[in-house]
Amino acid sequence: MRVVTTGAAGFIGSTLVDHLLRDGHSVLAVDDLSTGHLDNLAESADNPRLTFLESDVVADAARREMTAYGAEVFFHLAAQMDVRLSVADPLADARRNVLGSLAVLESARGSGARKLVFASSGGTIYGDQPRYPVHESAHVDPICPYGAAKVCGETYLRVYRHLHGLQTTALALGNVYGPRQDPHGEAGVVSIFASGLMEGRPTMIFGDGRATRDYVYVDDVVEAFVLAAGPAGDGLRLNIGTGRETSVRQLHRLIAEAVERPDRPKIMPPRAGELRRVALDSSAAQRVLGWHAHVSLENGIIRTIDWIRGRAAVAAV
């Protein structure tokens, strides 16, 4: 099968690309490298079934190449994913996340693709809810522009399904973590805490530390994308998470214990647009796709720490 993957040099996208290539598929990997890294694709760089395109998905040249590739399935993961940046510059966020999603949908339609699988956000689209874990039937109520852009992307999915017969599935992801997540970026608290503690740098918690998140390991998330490429889940949003709430303070303690460093984060003022709780009911994904999370948070933290250590060892050579 021929597939297009956007955001392919990001940590989720590159892990998905590697999985697809191992399964024998041919992949057009698209990334503008604004936050992704070519190093993430090093494992598959010499694979003849991989074609890499460095471009913004909105660019005319990228749209022409995605359309001409003749893919059966599009995986759309390219996004501006910093909630704080979306609050500070909502226009820039919308250009990347709303227009980007529309451009990829147009490319999928023009190419005659069967299906598009969209990376949505299982926290920001729902906002604050009265009941947790949150089910897909909950009313969407984003409190930041990033979440609003993801809701807009899901709306466009429904439009293209009705107008053009394009099969679509939106995966509302929990807080994804694991190897290849940038430990020096603005998102990805597991990698940020782990690298900071291991290097003896200060670690910071914004707010009182009681905010909770639903941490789901990257390999489990990639499995959900692969399963969603089939006919199941057409027209649906499916939550992809564990249903387990872990506070930021608890997470810091778990990581500090794993790397054998003092558990003494610096407490900072809360930031605008941040949610108090995230926990996702993923029973629909289990029923529709046969998916469930396999990797526990404790095990996933160890795997992520091992990756950071391995990367540091290579850099030191």
Side-chain angles (χ1 to χ4, degrees):
M1 181 171 70
R2 294 168 73 83
V3 303
V4 169
T5 303
T6 71
F11 97 102
I12 305 174
S14 64
T15 307
L16 174 59
V17 167
D18 288 346
H19 192 296
L20 292 167
L21 291 169
R22 285 196 298 270
D23 284 351
H25 303 299
S26 296
V27 182
L28 174 62
V30 185
D31 201 298
D32 67 359
L33 301 182
S34 58
T35 56
H37 304 281
L38 276 179
D39 286 350
N40 288 338
L41 292 169
E43 179 181 318
S44 300
D46 296 329
N47 193 311
R49 286 181 282 103
L50 174 65
T51 303
F52 180 73
L53 173 63
E54 182 180 348
S55 179
D56 186 330
V57 295
V58 179
D60 289 342
R63 288 165 53 196
R64 285 194 298 270
E65 189 156 345
M66 287 190 291
T67 301
Y69 189 69
E72 181 179 341
V73 174
F74 277 61
F75 296 100
H76 180 40
L77 292 85
Q80 188 296 113
M81 58 185 180
D82 190 333
V83 167
R84 296 178 295 281
L85 181 58
S86 81
V87 172
D89 194 347
L91 286 175
D93 182 80
R95 290 188 191 102
R96 294 287 299 277
N97 292 346
V98 177
L99 293 182
S101 295
L102 185 54
V104 175
L105 279 163
E106 268 293 277
S107 298
R109 177 197 63 80
S111 71
R114 173 179 57 83
K115 190 167 192 179
L116 186 144
V117 184
F118 175 65
S120 189
S121 169
T124 62
I125 64 169
Y126 294 120
D128 293 313
Q129 294 286 329
R131 291 194 180 103
Y132 292 88
V134 178
H135 188 267
E136 291 90 348
S137 61
H139 177 66
V140 294
D141 188 23
I143 64 171
C144 66
Y146 173 78
K150 289 297 187 181
V151 172
C152 187
E154 290 190 17
T155 302
Y156 272 116
L157 259 61
R158 291 192 292 273
V159 169
Y160 273 68
R161 184 171 178 269
H162 291 309
L163 277 181
H164 306 296
L166 177 67
Q167 294 179 30
T168 63
T169 300
L171 299 182
L173 308 180
N175 297 83
V176 189
Y177 72 100
R180 301 183 186 173
Q181 190 166 41
D182 187 355
H184 302 292
E186 294 299 321
V189 67
V190 173
S191 290
I192 291 171
F193 281 170
S195 62
L197 287 165
M198 291 164 67
E199 295 169 10
R201 292 184 284 106
T203 50
M204 294 178 287
I205 288 177
F206 295 88
D208 59 14
R210 291 185 290 181
T212 65
R213 296 293 183 263
D214 187 340
Y215 296 101
V216 57
Y217 191 68
V218 63
D219 288 355
D220 287 333
V221 171
V222 163
E223 181 186 5
F225 275 97
V226 172
L227 291 170
D234 179 29
L236 299 180
R237 177 204 305 137
L238 297 171
N239 291 338
I240 302 299
T242 67
R244 172 184 175 182
E245 290 185 76
T246 303
S247 74
V248 181
R249 191 67 191 85
Q250 290 172 322
L251 179 72
H252 191 279
R253 184 178 68 252
L254 286 171
I255 296 172
E257 290 173 354
V259 298
E260 300 180 332
R261 295 290 191 275
D263 177 29
R264 293 196 292 265
K266 184 177 181 180
I267 305 301
M268 305 293 288
R271 298 180 290 199
E274 298 282 357
L275 294 167
R276 289 295 299 169
R277 299 176 69 183
V278 177
L280 302 176
D281 179 343
S282 299
S283 57
Q286 183 167 356
R287 183 179 67 255
V288 174
L289 300 179
W291 179 90
H292 66 275
H294 296 280
V295 181
S296 69
L297 178 58
E298 292 78 7
N299 190 12
I301 285 172
I302 295 299
R303 295 188 192 186
T304 305
I305 290 168
D306 287 345
W307 173 79
I308 294 172
R309 283 176 171 150
R311 196 175 81 153
V314 170
V317 173

